[in-house]
Amino acid sequence: EVVETLLPLALELAEESSYGAEVPPFRDAAWGYPFDSQYPELRQACESAICSSVAKVIKGSPRQLDEVISDLRGRRSYFSNKILLRIFTAGAEQFADLALSVLEDETWRFRCGHSDSSYWIARCLVGAIATRLSDSRRRDLENLVLGYRSTWEQTESGMKAFGDAVHTLAGAIPRNLLSEDGQKKIAELE
């Protein structure tokens, strides 16, 4: 019921209160910037309830989320992206190929995490799907991750952070599943 009632409201709040960025994911005034705390706020409790409900649906009948996934793919807020990536992570067994396709089409979705790690939620997704993809699709994931450059890293002031995003994301792929070139690239970043 939370997925059918609270999630649509939460998504609309995020979309209607989006601000600031020229490229997605757009921040919003309703859900704010994500940070971990031992004392969750109401918005964090609501988000947690949504994610728990989604996880229950995935365990029971993941295909019930096809419409939700389609809706989330059309949205550009940080909050909607976070929910989409969490659905893909929880349902990695069913959604691994779709998740990779979405990341290939919209690499901005990698920028999804917390205040202390801007890519952590995306990293969790990469780790969850890496073991569930075919060998050729796993190579596609590896190439996508190793070739990723955040918009920040592409700016003059962000050059110091060059490779940080790749290191965070690629670290989720088990070393034994990386190609020889991939292992060398990761070693260079360490």
Side-chain angles (χ1 to χ4, degrees):
E1 225 178 273
V2 169
V3 174
E4 294 151 1
T5 55
L6 185 56
L7 180 58
L9 173 63
L11 293 171
E12 285 307 311
L13 280 170
E15 297 293 319
E16 293 298 320
S17 65
S18 293
Y19 64 88
E22 291 183 22
V23 295
F26 303 121
R27 302 281 179 202
D28 65 85
W31 296 99
Y33 193 77
F35 64 93
D36 287 332
S37 169
Q38 71 183 72
Y39 306 107
E41 297 176 352
L42 178 59
R43 62 188 168 96
Q44 291 166 309
C46 290
E47 180 181 324
S48 179
I50 290 168
C51 290
S52 295
S53 296
V54 163
K56 287 177 186 171
V57 172
I58 287 171
K59 286 179 183 172
S61 180
R63 289 294 156 206
Q64 287 182 335
L65 293 173
D66 286 347
E67 200 173 301
V68 172
I69 290 169
S70 180
D71 179 42
L72 289 167
R73 289 182 67 188
R75 295 176 183 269
R76 303 292 178 252
S77 73
Y78 193 90
F79 179 77
S80 60
N81 188 47
K82 186 186 334 181
I83 299 299
L84 178 64
L85 269 54
R86 286 190 167 164
I87 288 172
F88 285 157
T89 302
E93 190 173 320
Q94 298 87 358
F95 300 123
D97 282 309
L98 176 59
L100 177 54
S101 294
V102 169
L103 292 172
E104 288 171 323
D105 292 344
E106 300 172 316
T107 58
W108 63 263
R109 291 190 182 277
F110 278 126
R111 193 166 153 252
C112 190
H114 306 285
S115 59
D116 60 342
S117 180
S118 298
Y119 300 93
W120 191 257
I121 293 170
R123 176 192 165 98
C124 293
L125 172 59
V126 168
I129 66 174
T131 59
R132 292 173 171 90
L133 294 166
S134 67
D135 289 343
S136 67
R137 289 300 278 157
R138 191 176 311 111
R139 288 299 148 254
D140 293 341
L141 174 64
E142 177 182 320
N143 292 332
L144 180 66
V145 168
L146 293 177
Y148 176 72
R149 298 294 171 264
S150 71
T151 52
W152 169 247
E153 291 173 327
Q154 296 174 37
T155 66
E156 190 175 322
S157 38
M159 289 299 285
K160 291 183 275 184
F162 185 79
D164 287 354
V166 168
H167 186 260
T168 298
L169 294 166
I173 303 172
R175 289 279 172 116
N176 65 318
L177 297 180
L178 289 168
S179 67
E180 225 177 273
D181 288 341
Q183 290 180 25
K184 287 178 188 174
K185 175 87 172 182
I186 296 302
E188 291 170 9
L189 294 171
E190 292 180 331

